[in-house]
Amino acid sequence: MYIWQGSNVRLRPIEPEDWELFHDNDLDSEGARAADAVYFPRSEEGTRRWAEKKAEEEPQGDNISLAIETREGELVGSMDAHHCEPRDGSFRYGIALFRPHWRRGYASEAVRLLLRYYFHELRYEKATAHVYAFNEPSMRFQEALGFRLEARLREQIFTNGRRHDELIYGMLRREFDARFEEA
């Protein structure tokens, strides 16, 4: 068993040749808004350089960006662990799947792989996910994984001409273990 691989997906470093799919995904403004923000357009060459830089990047402490691919090797999205605080035992994660791969179970398996590593290998005790209040599918996703709503930051986000609340979901290691205990 490879710790970074589940029955449907594996997590791996971002590679320079991934640039084209990331560039295509940048054209999905609604997907970008839901996952993070709508940024200025980037040229193909700019996306190539971004992918090359990501491929060369070493983790910063326990902060890391990873590609998500199917077991057959098809790139379907990315995720990261950030704001890692070893002293407190807490970290945040974010995930973005390319739209054609939504609702196939890839995201939930990728999150479980990441959480298992951070909880069982790095000794973290808490993971959080920040979700925009207009992103109801992401709210349902976090709740289906077992994350609990812990906070609402009122009018924290501005996008698409309006202010929106940011929701913070949390999961403790013991909750993860109870939910996903391996047989």
Side-chain angles (χ1 to χ4, degrees), residues 62 83-92 114-129 146-148 150 169-178:
D62 293 336
H83 290 84
C84 297
E85 297 291 341
R87 180 177 179 199
D88 299 328
S90 65
F91 70 98
R92 291 186 203 173
L114 185 79
L115 294 179
R116 182 168 284 118
Y117 184 79
Y118 275 75
F119 289 152
H120 293 183
E121 300 300 324
L122 300 180
R123 297 176 19 177
Y124 281 86
E125 291 294 327
K126 183 173 186 178
T128 58
F147 279 77
R148 295 182 187 175
E150 295 187 345
Y169 284 85
M171 179 184 281
L172 302 174
R173 177 190 169 159
R174 66 179 173 269
E175 295 166 340
F176 175 85
D177 289 344

Side-chain angles (χ1 to χ4, degrees), residues 7-19:
S7 54
N8 297 304
V9 299
R10 78 176 54 86
L11 304 180
R12 63 161 175 83
I14 294 171
E15 298 290 347
E17 58 270 12
D18 295 335
W19 77 269

Side-chain angles (χ1 to χ4, degrees), residues 33 157-164:
R33 179 176 285 118
I157 304 300
F158 182 83
T159 189
N160 204 18
R162 293 184 48 219
R163 299 208 67 77
H164 301 274

Side-chain angles (χ1 to χ4, degrees), residues 6 20-21 28 30 36 45 50 57 66-67 71 77 80-81 85 89 92 111 125-126 137 139 144 146 175 178:
E20 202 165 357
L21 287 171
D28 181 359
E30 288 308 309
D36 182 22
E45 184 56 35
W50 171 86
E57 250 179 27
L66 297 164
R71 292 280 300 261
D80 63 346
E85 297 291 341
R92 291 186 203 173
V111 171
E125 291 294 327
K126 183 173 186 178
M139 293 163 36
E175 295 166 340

Side-chain angles (χ1 to χ4, degrees), residues 19 24 56 78 92 105 108 110-112 115 130 135-136 143 146 148 158 168 174 180:
W19 77 269
D24 289 346
E56 293 173 4
S78 64
R92 291 186 203 173
S108 58
V111 171
R112 286 193 309 271
L115 294 179
H130 291 226
N135 189 345
E136 290 183 24
E143 291 165 1
R148 295 182 187 175
F158 182 83
I168 302 174
R174 66 179 173 269
F180 300 109

Side-chain angles (χ1 to χ4, degrees), residues 34 95 130-132 135-143 169:
I95 187 166
H130 291 226
V131 176
Y132 306 144
N135 189 345
E136 290 183 24
S138 187
M139 293 163 36
R140 287 190 304 269
F141 173 73
Q142 300 305 328
E143 291 165 1
Y169 284 85

